[in-house]
């Protein structure tokens, strides 16, 4: 666990891994662009636990915000560390129709 600018993150800190944009797709999928310019597909249904249950609501899932490089929902009540998003996502190079 680590803290940056009063925000607590799970896991270990990895320099340079930050989310620049997160575009909701169908079925809990997101097209995530990192600050490095790399794009990856992230399946939010992999996130387990009651904290992530609200993401099954399309209205909540469809309204992500980026706060200091972290994907958040519901005014920051739900968040996913960028290194988790990166680790659980697959490379996207534009060959898939979205």
């Amino acid at each position: 666990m680590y803290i940056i600018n009063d925000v607590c993150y799970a896991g270990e800190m990895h320099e340079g891994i930050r989310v620049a944009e997160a575009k909701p797709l169908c079925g809990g999928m997101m097209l995530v662009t990192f600050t490095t310019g790399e794009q990856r597909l992230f399946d939010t249904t992999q996130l387990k636990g009651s904290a992530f249950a609200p993401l099954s609501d399309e209205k909540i899932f469809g309204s992500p915000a980026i706060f200091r490089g972290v994907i958040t929902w519901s005014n920051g009540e739900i968040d996913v560390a960028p290194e988790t998003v990166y680790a659980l996502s697959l490379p996207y190079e534009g060959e898939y129709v979205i």
Side-chain angles (χ1 to χ4, degrees):
M1 180 171 62
Y2 60 96
I3 300 171
I4 298 176
N5 296 324
D6 297 327
V7 177
C8 183
Y9 300 90
E12 296 180 31
M13 187 165 114
H14 298 277
E15 289 295 324
I17 298 178
R18 297 287 175 257
V19 174
E21 182 179 7
K23 179 181 177 183
L25 305 172
C26 296
M29 296 295 292
M30 300 190 93
L31 179 59
V32 179
T33 304
F34 291 88
T35 54
T36 60
E38 184 177 1
Q39 289 189 309
R40 295 176 70 88
L41 290 172
F42 176 54
D43 182 357
T44 62
T45 64
Q46 298 177 88
L47 300 170
K48 302 300 177 195
S50 59
F52 300 108
L55 295 180
S56 64
D57 179 334
E58 285 292 322
K59 185 174 180 180
I60 292 172
F61 170 74
S63 300
I66 308 302
F67 179 73
R68 296 183 177 160
V70 177
I71 303 172
T72 68
W73 294 267
S74 298
N75 293 321
E77 290 180 21
I78 305 167
D79 63 41
V80 182
E83 57 270 17
T84 298
V85 174
Y86 192 90
L88 296 178
S89 62
L90 300 171
Y92 175 79
E93 297 180 12
E95 71 253 15
Y96 307 105
V97 177
I98 55 173

